[in-house]
Structure formats: C-alpha cells, structure tokens
Amino acid sequence: MASLSVLCDAAEEKLSAEQKLLAERETAVAADREKLQAEKDAMMKAGITESDLLSINVGGQIFAVKRSTLLMAPEDSTLNAMFSGKWDESFFRDAEGRMFLDMSPPVFSSILSYLRAMRLECPAKKRRSLPIDQMYEAELKAACLYYGLFPKPHMALQLKSREQQGLSIVDDEEGTTVRQTAGLFRAAFGTEVIETVATWKFSAVSISNGYMFAGTTAAADPSQNPYSSSSAFGWAGQGQVYLGGTNNQGLGGWVGWQAGDHAIFLLDIDASILKMYHSRTQTLLTLALPAEKKQWRLNLDLYGQADVVKLTIPTAAEEEAILVAS
C-alpha cells in the first residue's frame, strides 16, 4: 500500500507540474496575441495597411508592389518583418524618399515573382529554390536564406525510420544523412505528406553493392521492406524499377547506384508522375503514379551495412536540369 501511495503522489506531482507548464504557455500565447493586436492597432492609426502600394528602389531599379504581396513571406521571416510596417520609419531611403534595398534587381524580381505566385495559391508554395540566371544564383540563394523566404523546416526533407536498430538519421545545415549501421533493408520515409509538387536530391556517399531504393510511398508506416509495398514507386539497383511494389526488371534502362551518384527527384501530384534525373548517366526517368489521391511521402531503403546517403534540397540549377530534361 505504501508503494502505491508513493506512486500516486508522484503521478499527482507530475500532473500538477504539467498543468502549471500548460498554464504558463497559455499565458505567454495570450500575451503575444495582445502584443500583436496592439501593433496592428498602432499601424492602423498611422495609416499603414496591407493594401499599401510601396515604391521600392532596388539597386537603382524602381519596383511598385503591394505590401500584402511582400507579407506572403513566412510570418517569422526577416522579409515579412521588414515590410510589416513596424520599421517603415527606420528604413533606409533614396533621395526621392523611396525605400532602398541594396540588392541586384533580378534577384528581387525573382523573389517578388515567387511571392505573387504564392498569392495565387500556385504550387510555388512548395518550392525551396528559385530559377535565375547563373550569375545571380549565389546572391539569390544568400538572399533567400537571409530573408527567410522559405518556411522551415521543409516538410519534404524530414525523414524518420521505423522502430528498428541499424539506421541513423542525422540532420545538419546541409540536409539529412541516412546511415545504415547494421542489418539489411533499413528504411527511412518522409514524416509529412507531399501535397502538390516537391523536389529533392539523393546523393550516394557510400553504396556497398550498388543497391538502394529511392522513390516514394503512400504508406504512413511502411513495412520492413517498403520497396515492396503496394504504393512504392521508384528505382533500386540491378535494373530494378518498382511500380506499386512490383519489380519491373530494367524498365527505363536503369542500371543501379554507385558511390558519388547524385539524383534529383520531382514528384508532381497533380500530374501523377515521379521523375528522377541521374547526373552520372545524364538520363531522365519517369514513372506514372496512380491517378487516385494518395498521401505520398519520400522513401529511401538502404540494403548494405555502412551504406550512406545524403538528402538535400536541389539548387536552382539542379531543379532546372530536371525541368529542362522533361
């Protein structure tokens, strides 16, 4: 009885602590809401609204854009904060009183085009890089990172594994490294459903026998061998191409993986297609997916012990490569 009483006391103490923490969080959320509303009220009094038409001098070129378009950037981003209205008075301005951004006009134009597409509910919402002339690519990438243009984390690049030993998934600034440490056929798959269009890149750092499966699956918790799931579509090794979990030997001329291989993937839900552009062979492979709506996720299955694969976001040039090859 004494031990039961101790357990009950411990449970009550834990519950009380959790309730206190929840109350503190609710108080903090309420305070944030009040602060946000106060800021909105202050901006309204100052005549600042989302419908404002802004004239912005970007590297000597004048852009006319609605404030609401710039506010399509993620709410927690630097870009959104800059044009929220709270910092209008502290903005650096040119001789004509226009807001000034020290940025190449083509870079801002690319960002602006993306935000306008967002307003139209285009698949642009799922992009992680923007097309631009090669000479501006580095600046655009740095600007997107600095201004927080893309929401984080990117849903398509989050992986998890089944409850199993022998698979390590490590995230860093560059992407996600998947490493098999023991056993055979260890699987990683996306934590989130891909809703429209997504691109990603698999790089084979180390492949012991030329075999791994890379593609997509609609299974929320794939079986031990996800490549054989009825919703698995992708490319393995030794000429294996999987359609609905069935191996179609040699379909599309696929020969298999080697260490150092890079492959860019494009999943288009509306078009019901999965594409892979393989850099070493410079080939584009396409698989037709079922037309019925499914909850598609990334899927990566490793076979050999010590196999290592890197999952990253394709560069604008790499995305363009798979689109041009299409």
Side-chain angles (χ1 to χ4, degrees):
M1 292 296 291
S3 60
L4 179 60
S5 176
V6 170
L7 289 174
C8 288
D9 290 344
E12 289 180 1
E13 183 177 347
K14 181 179 180 181
L15 178 60
S16 176
E18 290 177 348
Q19 289 176 335
K20 181 180 179 181
L21 180 61
L22 180 60
E24 291 175 350
R25 289 178 177 173
E26 289 177 346
T27 300
V29 170
D32 288 341
R33 286 177 178 170
E34 290 180 4
K35 182 180 178 181
L36 179 60
Q37 188 59 50
E39 290 176 349
K40 288 183 177 180
D41 292 343
M43 287 189 289
M44 287 293 291
K45 289 181 180 179
I48 297 172
T49 68
E50 290 189 1
S51 61
D52 290 343
L53 182 63
L54 304 178
S55 181
I56 308 173
N57 181 340
V58 182
Q61 183 174 330
I62 309 304
F63 288 81
V65 55
K66 277 190 171 183
R67 189 188 298 274
S68 57
T69 298
L70 296 168
L71 294 183
M72 290 303 300
E75 289 187 10
D76 61 348
S77 68
T78 300
L79 188 64
N80 188 292
M82 284 175 61
F83 293 101
S84 65
K86 293 183 289 185
W87 312 107
D88 280 10
E89 292 187 4
S90 59
F91 223 106
F92 187 83
R93 296 178 181 269
D94 65 10
E96 303 298 325
R98 290 180 290 245
M99 295 177 175
F100 179 81
L101 282 180
D102 189 11
M103 181 187 297
S104 297
V107 171
F108 187 72
S109 181
S110 181
I111 292 173
L112 195 56
S113 178
Y114 169 74
L115 294 176
R116 284 170 173 159
M118 292 268 288
R119 294 196 63 185
L120 299 174
E121 299 292 332
C122 289
K125 282 193 173 183
K126 302 304 176 187
R127 294 185 66 86
R128 297 297 297 176
S129 60
L130 304 179
I132 199 170
D133 187 276
Q134 187 175 1
M135 69 179 296
Y136 296 109
E137 190 173 287
E139 183 184 349
L140 177 61
K141 184 177 180 180
C144 290
L145 181 63
Y146 177 79
Y147 290 109
L149 190 62
F150 303 116
K152 355 175 237 195
H154 178 43
M155 64 91 182
L157 291 188
Q158 287 185 294
L159 292 173
K160 66 177 180 179
S161 63
R162 300 180 71 251
E163 293 297 326
Q164 58 187 353
Q165 298 294 321
L167 192 69
S168 167
I169 299 177
V170 178
D171 296 321
D172 56 35
E173 293 182 355
E174 296 180 354
T176 300
T177 299
V178 183
R179 184 187 305 271
Q180 184 159 327
T181 57
L184 300 177
F185 291 118
R186 294 295 185 253
F189 52 97
T191 61
E192 301 294 336
V193 173
I194 298 172
E195 297 177 353
T196 54
V197 177
T199 58
W200 64 93
K201 177 182 177 181
F202 280 134
S203 298
V205 179
S206 173
I207 297 294
S208 59
N209 61 1
Y211 187 96
M212 76 172 186
F213 173 86
T216 186
T217 181
D221 186 13
S223 62
Q224 184 160 352
N225 298 332
Y227 62 87
S228 61
S229 164
S230 61
S231 65
F233 289 77
W235 297 268
Q238 303 169 3
Q240 297 180 8
V241 180
Y242 282 86
L243 300 175
T246 300
N247 174 21
N248 292 261
Q249 194 77 19
L251 179 66
W254 179 236
V255 295
W257 300 92
Q258 295 180 14
D261 275 355
H262 303 284
I264 299 98
F265 290 79
L266 170 69
L267 176 61
D268 189 330
I269 302 299
D270 294 334
S272 298
I273 56 172
L274 174 67
K275 296 185 178 183
M276 177 179 73
Y277 179 75
H278 188 256
S279 60
R280 172 169 54 85
T281 59
Q282 295 186 340
T283 54
L284 177 71
L285 304 174
T286 302
L287 298 180
L289 303 180
E292 64 267 23
K293 185 175 179 60
K294 291 182 178 290
Q295 295 186 324
W296 297 106
R297 306 164 188 267
L298 274 71
N299 189 192
L300 174 67
D301 303 348
L302 299 183
Y303 177 79
Q305 189 168 334
D307 285 356
V308 180
V309 174
K310 188 82 172 183
L311 171 62
T312 55
I313 298 169
T315 65
E318 289 169 336
E319 279 196 342
E320 185 177 356
I322 193 170
L323 293 173
V324 171
S326 302

